[in-house]
């Protein structure tokens, strides 16, 4: 993971991989960070309330479902107004800018040194891949003075990191067992949101042993429901299976859809070693909307010479991912291969898999029922009809519909 420089940050903005709205002004870009401006909205903690019992303190118990919404009061300033933060007081402020991250970027918030010298403590925070929204900035006055904060001040900075691999939307939205709580945050929704009620209930009774039983497994494998007869499978090898939502299978699907060329059987593969993606590949080549193997009614596992001659395809996704890893100076020995879009691997692919000493080959659970010839024949007939009507066929038109 690398930190982006001023020039690299500007490139990401130009390519819409990093969205900042309103656009950065000439004061905000720093050598290795972006200064963010304080917005118009501030949240002040309630410390007491008046009830039928009298004046009572607000007890901020975030394990209590019913009270967390009462802990903060929203203050929205107008042009020309300022906010005085008291000594020892903690508040929440919104960023003026709305921030949007691509799947390969994340941000980390830090205080500007000038804010720290005034006595303002600004807590750091992580901006996840695919996040989109205003940022919540917790501010504490650590000084003995009342300090004024003006909307538009540059009190914090955001460092942009580029990840080694792209993060899918599905993966970015999954925080533990729940969906992200703070995506699409607005200046009017900065306060803390509850974690899972199930987790809170376990915490409240102190049963931490029960909580730690929910250990995650890096690659949960699934036993096949039925025995499948494969057109080809080496005697000493077998497939393993994962869910469609497995993070590495999601990456394999992206490889199939982003590098699609084979209209008959769009397939993608990724190689994973030591929990790092080291290579990706697809059935690449020249996009021919109506597959020559379909037109010639080639049986399964035959007619690959048409792929090479008509579609200029040099290899299948499995081999392509191995070649990609080697080209990136990775050793594929001992890696796992995740294959999306197919339910078996041909003899040539298995030969390369064995030669590269690939450890495991993972398919989607029930791949033989999902990626079927019947589905592709039906699609090719639809493509034929559209071509007859002089419609333009795009690669996206031949993706697997799952």
């Amino acid at each position: 993971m690398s930190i982006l420089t001023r020039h690299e940050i500007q490139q990401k903005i130009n390519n819409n991989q990093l969205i900042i709205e309103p656009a950065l002004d000439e004061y905000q870009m720093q050598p290795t960070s972006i200064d963010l401006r304080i917005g118009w909205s501030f949240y002040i903690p309630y410390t007491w309330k008046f009830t039928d019992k009298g004046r009572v303190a607000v007890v901020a118990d975030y394990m209590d479902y019913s009270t967390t919404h009462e802990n903060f009061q929203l203050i929205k300033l107008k042009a020309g107004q300022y906010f005085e933060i008291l000594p020892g007081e903690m508040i929440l402020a919104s960023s003026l800018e709305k921030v949007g991250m691509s799947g390969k970027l994340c941000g980390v918030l830090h205080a500007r040194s000038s804010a720290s010298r005034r006595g303002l403590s600004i807590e750091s925070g992580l901006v996840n891949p695919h996040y989109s929204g205003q940022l919540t900035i917790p501010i504490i006055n650590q000084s003995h003075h009342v300090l004024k904060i003006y909307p538009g001040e540059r009190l914090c900075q955001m460092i942009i990191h580029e990840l080694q691999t792209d993060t899918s939307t599905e993966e970015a939205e999954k925080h533990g067992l729940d969906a992200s709580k703070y995506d699409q945050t607005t200046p009017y929704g900065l306060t803390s949101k509850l974690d899972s009620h199930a987790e809170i209930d376990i915490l409240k009774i102190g049963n931490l042993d029960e909580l730690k039983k929910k250990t995650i497994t890096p690659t949960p494998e699934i036993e096949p429901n039925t025995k499948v007869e494969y057109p080809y499978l080496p005697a000493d090898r077998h497939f393993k299976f994962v869910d469609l939502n497995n993070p590495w299978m999601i990456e394999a699907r992206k490889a199939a859809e982003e590098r699609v060329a084979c209209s008959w059987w769009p397939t993608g593969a990724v190689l994973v070693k030591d929990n790092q993606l080291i290579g990706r590949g697809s059935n690449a080549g020249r996009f021919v909307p109506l597959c020559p193997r379909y037109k010639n009614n080639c049986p399964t596992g035959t007619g690959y010479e048409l792929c090479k001659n008509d579609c200029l395809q040099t290899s299948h996704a499995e081999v392509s991912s191995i070649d990609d890893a080697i080209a990136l100076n990775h050793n594929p020995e001992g890696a796992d291969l995740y294959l999306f879009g197919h339910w078996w691997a041909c003899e040539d692919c298995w030969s390369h898999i064995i030669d590269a000493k690939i450890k495991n080959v993972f398919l989607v659970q029930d791949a033989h029922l999902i990626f079927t010839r019947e589905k592709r024949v039906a699609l090719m007939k639809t493509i034929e009809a559209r071509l007859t009507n002089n419609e333009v066929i795009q690669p996206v038109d031949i993706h697997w519909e799952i």
Side-chain angles (χ1 to χ4, degrees), residues 293-334:
R293 290 178 63 206
Y294 163 75
K295 290 194 293 185
N296 286 273
N297 197 28
C298 296
T300 297
T302 66
Y304 293 140
E305 68 280 358
L306 297 173
C307 304
K308 296 178 181 179
N309 297 334
D310 291 25
C311 304
L312 307 181
Q313 187 181 105
T314 56
S315 62
H316 287 167
E318 300 93 310
V319 178
S320 179
S321 66
I322 295 171
D323 290 344
D324 185 54
I326 294 172
L328 295 171
N329 296 318
H330 294 295
N331 181 3
E333 182 177 349

Side-chain angles (χ1 to χ4, degrees), residues 17 36 45 85-86 109 139 168 238 276 288 291 301 321 327 346 373 381 400:
Q17 293 177 277
L36 294 175
I85 180 170
L86 306 178
L109 293 179
I139 304 174
S168 68
H238 65 279
Q276 297 290 326
V288 178
C291 174
S321 66
C346 71
R373 184 182 182 93
K381 290 181 178 179
W400 288 101

Side-chain angles (χ1 to χ4, degrees), residues 264-276:
W264 179 233
W265 221 279
T267 307
V270 295
L271 277 188
V272 179
K273 186 175 182 179
D274 297 328
N275 208 32
Q276 297 290 326

Side-chain angles (χ1 to χ4, degrees), residues 20 23 59 76 81 97 128 147 170 172 179 222 237 247 278 316 324 359-360 386:
I20 309 288
V59 178
K76 185 171 173 57
Q81 293 182 321
E97 294 84 9
N128 281 307
L147 299 175
E170 295 86 351
I222 302 172
R237 300 302 295 257
I278 64 171
H316 287 167
D324 185 54
K359 184 178 179 180
N360 299 303
R386 291 180 59 185

Side-chain angles (χ1 to χ4, degrees), residues 37-42 92-96 134-137 187 190:
R37 296 191 180 278
I38 297 296
W40 300 98
S41 299
F42 297 81
L92 301 176
S94 72
S95 64
L96 179 67
Q134 253 83 16
L135 300 178
T136 301
I137 304 170
L190 304 182

Side-chain angles (χ1 to χ4, degrees), residues 177-322:
L177 293 175
D178 302 310
S180 171
K181 298 185 292 183
Y182 298 111
D183 195 30
Q184 301 294 338
T185 295
T186 70
Y188 313 109
L190 304 182
T191 54
S192 178
K193 299 178 183 178
L194 291 174
D195 288 328
S196 162
H197 285 197
E199 181 184 3
I200 289 175
D201 288 339
I202 294 174
L203 291 172
K204 288 174 72 173
I205 62 175
N207 193 355
L208 301 190
D209 289 339
E210 179 66 25
L211 189 68
K212 298 310 292 183
K213 288 179 182 178
K214 300 180 181 294
T215 306
I216 60 172
T217 52
T219 306
E221 298 176 22
I222 302 172
E223 291 297 322
N225 294 330
T226 59
K227 184 173 177 60
V228 179
E229 294 294 332
Y230 297 104
Y232 178 81
L233 184 67
D236 58 341
R237 300 302 295 257
H238 65 279
F239 292 111
K240 293 188 175 183
F241 300 88
V242 293
D243 188 85
L244 263 171
N245 293 321
N246 176 278
W248 299 124
M249 193 57 71
I250 290 172
E251 291 297 323
R253 181 173 187 171
K254 287 173 63 176
E257 295 179 350
E258 293 174 0
R259 306 181 181 191
V260 65
C262 178
S263 60
W264 179 233
W265 221 279
T267 307
V270 295
L271 277 188
V272 179
K273 186 175 182 179
D274 297 328
N275 208 32
Q276 297 290 326
L277 193 154
I278 64 171
R280 65 176 72 227
S282 66
N283 287 9
R286 181 169 65 93
F287 179 61
V288 178
L290 199 62
C291 174
R293 290 178 63 206
Y294 163 75
K295 290 194 293 185
N296 286 273
N297 197 28
C298 296
T300 297
T302 66
Y304 293 140
E305 68 280 358
L306 297 173
C307 304
K308 296 178 181 179
N309 297 334
D310 291 25
C311 304
L312 307 181
Q313 187 181 105
T314 56
S315 62
H316 287 167
E318 300 93 310
V319 178
S320 179
S321 66
I322 295 171

